[in-house]
């Protein structure tokens, strides 16, 4: 993604210029020279030099010994304050670790930003199936398990905008028909589980559940991405339990209630005098 505007029009405000320069960095190109930053941002070289100097002084950028620039640690420190980033991740990590131990596959936590998924954490192992996602990366809503969960619980206007497309296809199984996708979203809301079966890569299947917060608002989505030949029922209960645990920790009223069909365990009878433990 570049900061260049249509028609070659350069941004006018200083803040926009600075953000445009920062947006020039991508996972594929994490280090850029001054001339590359000018070209990618669409700014004049002199303007780029001035703005980069300010970003460098503040710590948003760092400069290597070869003269190339990269994102600075100060920017990461500021970004870590985002409430849907580090704080959510800290609550979620113990449950994600439990889910990983149960599956030894990719465990992912994501939030929605406009019409995209943003991944805030991922755990994986050496034997886990290959995925196209990364922490801090973005992906379309309509193809991934977490994306289907987040889209199903998004406001109506967001759903309609997403369904209006275009809906990108990654494999032959990617759902790109709006009517079929609408039905899938309704099923996700009904069951509380989304399944993305080989929609992004032909060797992977994703099972995802919503993570609720106060007021039962869906804050995030949790998924496990497994090999495509793994039965859904083999991992679904673990994902549901982990998502429910996260939701409980985040204060979701529905997660604080006992699930239907589960009765409280009867207390063990005591023998002897009051306060004495029964004999083993």
């Amino acid at each position: 993604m570049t900061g260049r505007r249509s028609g070659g029009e350069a941004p006018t405000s200083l803040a926009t210029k600075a953000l445009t320069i920062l947006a020039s960095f991508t996972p594929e190109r994490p280090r850029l020279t001054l001339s590359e930053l000018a070209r990618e941002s669409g700014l004049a070289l002199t303007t780029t030099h001035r703005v980069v100097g300010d970003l460098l002084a503040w710590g948003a950028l760092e400069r290597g010994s070869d003269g190339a620039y990269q994102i600075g640690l100060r920017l990461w420190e500021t970004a870590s304050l985002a409430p849907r980033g580090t704080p959510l991740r800290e609550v979620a990590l113990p449950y994600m670790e439990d889910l990983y131990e149960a599956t030894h596959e990719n465990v992912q936590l994501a939030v929605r930003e406009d019409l995209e998924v943003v991944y805030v954490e991922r755990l994986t192992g050496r034997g886990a199936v290959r995925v196209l996602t990364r922490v801090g990366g973005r992906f379309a809503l309509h193809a991934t398990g977490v994306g289907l969960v987040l889209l199903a619980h998004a406001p109506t206007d967001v759903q309609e905008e997403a369904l209006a497309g275009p809906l990108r296809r990654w494999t032959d199984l990617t759902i790109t028909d709006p009517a079929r996708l609408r039905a899938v979203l309704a099923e996700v809301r009904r069951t509380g589980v989304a399944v993305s079966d080989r929609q992004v890569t032909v060797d992977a299947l994703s099972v995802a559940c919503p993570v609720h917060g106060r007021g039962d608002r869906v804050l995030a989505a949790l998924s496990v991405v497994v090999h495509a030949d793994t039965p859904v029922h083999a991992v679904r209960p673990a994902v549901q339990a982990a998502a429910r645990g996260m939701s409980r920790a985040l204060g979701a009223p529905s997660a604080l209630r006992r699930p239907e069909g589960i009765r409280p365990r009867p207390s063990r009878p005591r023998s002897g005098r009051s306060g004495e433990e029964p004999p083993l």
Side-chain angles (χ1 to χ4, degrees), residues 23-278:
S24 299
F25 294 92
T26 68
E28 296 74 28
R29 304 191 70 189
R31 292 172 54 80
L32 297 169
T33 64
L34 187 66
S35 59
E36 288 171 336
L37 283 170
R39 183 172 63 253
E40 291 296 315
S41 65
L43 299 172
L45 186 60
T46 53
T47 301
T48 303
H49 182 270
R50 176 169 54 85
V51 177
V52 165
D54 291 339
L55 293 171
L56 195 63
W58 186 78
L61 292 180
E62 296 174 354
R63 189 178 186 184
S65 57
D66 60 354
Y69 297 91
Q70 62 189 22
I71 297 295
L73 188 61
R74 181 78 179 275
L75 194 62
W76 178 83
E77 290 175 319
T78 302
S80 68
L81 300 176
R84 292 195 296 165
T86 300
L88 175 63
R89 172 183 170 274
E90 289 176 348
V91 171
L93 263 176
Y95 302 96
M96 295 181 68
E97 289 169 350
D98 288 345
L99 184 55
Y100 171 76
E101 287 300 324
T103 63
H104 290 283
E105 290 282 5
N106 298 283
V107 176
Q108 304 185 131
L109 182 70
V111 298
R112 181 181 63 84
E113 180 73 12
D114 297 327
L115 296 180
E116 293 179 306
V117 167
V118 179
Y119 291 89
V120 296
E121 186 56 274
R122 180 166 73 94
L123 303 179
T124 190
R126 287 177 294 180
V129 65
R130 178 182 64 93
V131 296
L132 303 183
T133 57
R134 65 176 182 85
V135 175
R138 293 173 177 258
F139 214 85
L141 286 168
H142 69 281
T144 64
V146 288
L148 290 171
V149 166
L150 295 169
L151 184 57
H153 294 280
T156 302
D157 59 328
V158 173
Q159 293 183 28
E160 294 304 320
E161 186 177 355
L163 289 165
L167 299 173
R168 178 180 169 182
R169 182 184 297 276
W170 279 270
T171 74
D172 291 340
L173 295 176
T174 305
I175 298 175
T176 57
D177 175 59
R180 185 181 170 201
L181 182 56
R182 196 182 298 274
V184 169
L185 297 178
E187 185 68 5
V188 171
R189 288 189 292 271
R190 186 185 71 82
T191 63
V193 179
V195 177
S196 173
D197 185 3
R198 295 164 290 171
Q199 290 200 58
V200 178
T201 60
V202 296
D203 56 350
L205 178 146
S206 172
V207 179
C209 293
V211 176
H212 300 265
R214 296 188 183 278
D216 273 335
R217 183 169 63 92
V218 173
L219 301 178
L222 173 72
S223 75
V224 60
V225 183
V226 298
H227 293 269
D229 57 356
T230 304
V232 173
H233 65 79
V235 295
R236 179 173 52 205
V239 181
Q240 290 174 310
R244 184 178 180 84
M246 289 183 199
S247 299
R248 186 184 301 114
L250 291 166
S254 62
L256 297 173
R257 296 191 295 268
R258 183 176 289 107
E260 293 184 9
I262 297 181
R263 297 180 179 180
R265 177 183 297 177
S267 57
R268 295 175 60 187
R270 293 178 179 272
S271 62
R273 295 187 303 274
S274 175
E276 289 185 353
E277 292 292 331

